[in-house]
């Protein structure tokens, strides 16, 4: 497929009048079983559900290494005040650190690991680059969740991503229990695009990364999709990985348990789906949130 152009806005959103959700125009899986480590059954399941959970994706020793790296970054006083660091609205504790591959050689190397690259290329059917990276840290008792949303809605509206030809990989560095704020997904919801109401405020990212209020579906849309698709949750031991489509509806609750939840989050975008001007925002978001250099990873 050729690269989508700005005239092809097939996913209009941030509207002034409500519009019904509609079927997406693009595939979920662009490659075949011959292109990478996912076999044909795994690709069919991913295409149907919009996500895949891989237990023991990284080793226990690697988990310890990356957890130590996360601890180093979240406690680094030189990063306080850095625009790449997002803190919890209530507690002021670190919530996320973006463009983390720029701050950590270990995570930069991880993003190029064949275990990730081969799967990303297979799912997207092309070379890939990093659209976004971050570490997420949800501390015990104080970690706040993420409201229901589709990442692609934001990436399309505010970053200029033409099509949902991107995939995210979330690698758990701590156990994901059903009760410590684990990510919830609606299987199959990735096949439907849900437009949102309301124009994008200027510098929306400064507040949306703490609590997203613009670009989220209505309660009516969430209710209808939840009844139609049901809700699954990413649970499993540290070292597990969740691969999920850019357009799947997902969210998480607050963590009121003593058990923290942290992960490395890497978003791969097809080089044939490079960012253009935002479709529903007055200016692009900063590069640490949406990388605009679409050079293939190797």
């Amino acid at each position: 497929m050729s690269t989508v152009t700005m005239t092809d806005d097939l996913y209009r959103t941030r509207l002034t009048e409500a519009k019904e959700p509609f079927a997406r125009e693009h595939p979920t899986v662009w490659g075949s079983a011959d292109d990478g480590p996912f076999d044909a059954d795994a690709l069919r399941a991913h295409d149907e559900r919009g996500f895949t959970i891989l237990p023991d994706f990284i080793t226990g020793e690697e988990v310890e290494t990356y957890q130590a790296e996360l601890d180093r970054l979240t406690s680094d006083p030189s990063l306080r005040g850095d625009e790449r660091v997002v803190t919890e609205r209530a507690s002021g504790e670190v919530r996320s650190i973006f463009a983390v591959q720029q701050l950590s050689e270990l995570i930069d190397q991880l993003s190029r690991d064949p275990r990730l690259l081969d799967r990303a290329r297979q799912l997207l059917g092309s070379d890939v680059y990093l659209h976004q990276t971050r570490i997420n840290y949800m501390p015990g008792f104080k970690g706040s969740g993420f409201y229901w949303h589709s990442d692609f809605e934001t990436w399309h509206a505010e970053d200029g991503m033409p099509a949902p030809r991107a995939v995210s990989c979330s690698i758990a560095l701590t156990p994901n229990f059903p009760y410590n704020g684990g990510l919830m997904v609606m299987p199959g919801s990735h096949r439907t695009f849900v437009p949102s109401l309301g124009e994008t405020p200027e510098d929306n990212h400064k507040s949306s990364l703490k609590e997203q209020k613009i670009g989220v579906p209505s309660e009516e849309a969430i209710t209808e999709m939840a009844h139609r698709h049901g809700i699954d949750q990413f649970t499993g031991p540290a070292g597990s990985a969740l691969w999920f489509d850019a357009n799947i509806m997902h969210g998480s609750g607050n963590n009121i348990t003593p058990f923290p939840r942290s992960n490395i989050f890497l978003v791969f975008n097809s080089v044939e789906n490079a960012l253009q001007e935002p479709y529903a925002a007055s200016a692009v978001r900063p590069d640490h949130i949406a990388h605009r250099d679409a050079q293939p990873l190797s």
Side-chain angles (χ1 to χ4, degrees):
M1 176 184 169
S2 60
T3 302
V4 180
T5 64
M6 271 298 293
T7 58
D8 300 316
D9 187 357
L10 302 177
Y11 301 96
R12 293 187 63 240
T13 188
R14 312 287 170 100
L15 306 175
T16 56
E17 296 183 1
K19 180 179 179 180
E20 290 296 313
F22 57 89
R24 70 188 279 169
E25 296 280 342
H26 295 89
T28 303
V29 175
W30 295 72
S32 70
D34 295 329
D35 298 327
F38 287 118
D39 63 23
D41 289 340
L43 288 179
R44 279 193 293 270
H46 187 89
D47 181 61
E48 179 180 347
R49 298 183 302 172
F51 70 96
T52 298
I53 296 174
L54 299 176
D56 302 318
F57 186 67
I58 62 174
T59 68
E61 183 178 354
E62 288 176 305
V63 168
E64 292 180 2
T65 297
Y66 293 122
Q67 185 65 62
E69 186 72 345
L70 182 146
D71 293 342
R72 179 185 72 82
L73 291 167
T74 55
S75 61
D76 186 346
S78 70
L79 291 178
R80 289 292 176 164
D82 191 298
E83 64 178 356
R84 292 168 290 191
V85 178
V86 179
T87 56
E88 293 282 359
R89 184 183 296 275
S91 68
E93 293 196 35
V94 173
R95 175 180 175 91
S96 301
I97 300 178
F98 281 78
V100 70
Q101 84 283 4
Q102 298 173 357
L103 300 168
S104 168
E105 184 177 346
L106 283 171
I107 295 177
D108 179 60
Q109 292 172 352
L110 176 65
S111 72
R112 304 169 191 275
D113 190 304
R115 289 173 295 181
L116 286 96
L117 273 187
D118 290 350
R119 286 177 168 82
R121 289 169 178 152
Q122 182 182 22
L123 291 171
L124 302 181
S126 70
D127 281 330
V128 299
Y129 73 97
L130 288 173
H131 168 67
Q132 184 185 99
T133 72
R134 64 180 187 263
I135 54 172
N136 292 325
Y137 180 62
M138 183 178 281
F141 298 115
K142 303 175 183 177
S144 56
F146 294 84
Y147 192 70
W148 290 106
H149 66 286
S150 151
D151 289 328
F152 174 65
E153 192 281 338
T154 296
W155 297 341
H156 183 71
E158 299 186 37
D159 298 334
M161 182 180 288
R165 195 175 177 180
V167 65
S168 299
C169 179
S170 174
I171 302 175
L173 299 182
T174 51
N176 279 248
F177 301 115
Y179 43 76
N180 69 334
L183 195 70
M184 297 178 288
V185 295
M186 295 185 185
S189 62
H190 63 296
R191 294 179 172 175
T192 302
F193 182 76
V194 183
S196 69
L197 275 174
E199 295 184 355
T200 308
E202 187 175 352
D203 292 332
N204 183 49
H205 66 278
K206 293 183 178 180
S207 59
S208 67
L209 299 179
K210 293 177 181 283
E211 182 182 8
Q212 187 171 357
K213 294 183 178 180
I214 301 296
V216 296
S218 67
E219 291 186 358
E220 291 77 13
I222 294 171
T223 300
E224 192 279 330
M225 295 185 83
H227 282 289
R228 177 162 29 123
H229 299 291
I231 297 173
D232 285 351
Q233 191 174 35
F234 175 31
T235 59
S240 304
L242 170 69
W243 289 84
F244 61 102
D245 183 81
N247 190 51
I248 198 167
M249 195 63 64
H250 62 287
S252 61
N254 295 341
N255 183 12
I256 61 172
T257 76
F259 308 110
R261 184 176 70 83
S262 58
N263 67 292
I264 299 173
F265 186 84
L266 305 167
V267 181
F268 299 95
N269 189 28
S270 168
V271 296
E272 298 173 10
N273 194 42
L275 304 185
Q276 302 179 28
E277 291 301 307
Y279 287 85
S282 60
V284 300
R285 297 196 296 176
D287 185 75
H288 67 272
I289 299 174
H291 304 316
R292 308 193 75 82
D293 183 2
Q295 293 302 309
L297 285 170
S298 59

